[in-house]
Amino acid sequence: MIYRSGRRMLRPDKVRVKRFGSRWRGLDPAEVYAYLRALADELDRACQAESVARLEAERLRHALGEWRSRHARCWFVDPQRRTPPGTPNRGPW
């Protein structure tokens, strides 16, 4: 199960299209928009990394479930009770 916060996430496309009003003695628009482009690119990379991490986590979750189902009936065997090599397999498996 994946949990998310109730807040809306800031997406790269929203940062790229954001426009600001102009004011007298305001900030340099070219500098602001260059910063926003860099921020949007960084957000894009972070979103892609998150997507890859979620896929990997799901793959591992699935593999662990398969491993658990295959080994559900296995249990620890005391090494002293194990059969010597070359004898028929009479273990608890």
Side-chain angles (χ1 to χ4, degrees), residues 3-14:
Y3 299 97
R4 290 183 181 233
S5 66
R7 298 182 308 167
R8 290 178 27 169
M9 293 179 59
L10 184 62
R11 305 295 303 180
D13 54 336
K14 298 289 184 188

Side-chain angles (χ1 to χ4, degrees), residues 27-53:
L27 300 174
D28 179 18
E31 189 176 336
V32 170
Y33 293 125
Y35 178 78
L36 286 177
R37 281 191 299 277
L39 177 62
D41 292 341
E42 189 174 331
L43 276 172
D44 196 27
R45 284 190 298 272
C47 289
Q48 288 174 358
E50 178 191 17
S51 176
V52 168

Side-chain angles (χ1 to χ4, degrees), residues 46-67:
C47 289
Q48 288 174 358
E50 178 191 17
S51 176
V52 168
R54 286 185 188 279
L55 288 173
E56 179 68 7
E58 183 60 34
R59 185 189 68 78
L60 290 172
R61 212 175 287 117
H62 180 69
L64 179 61
E66 285 183 1
W67 184 88

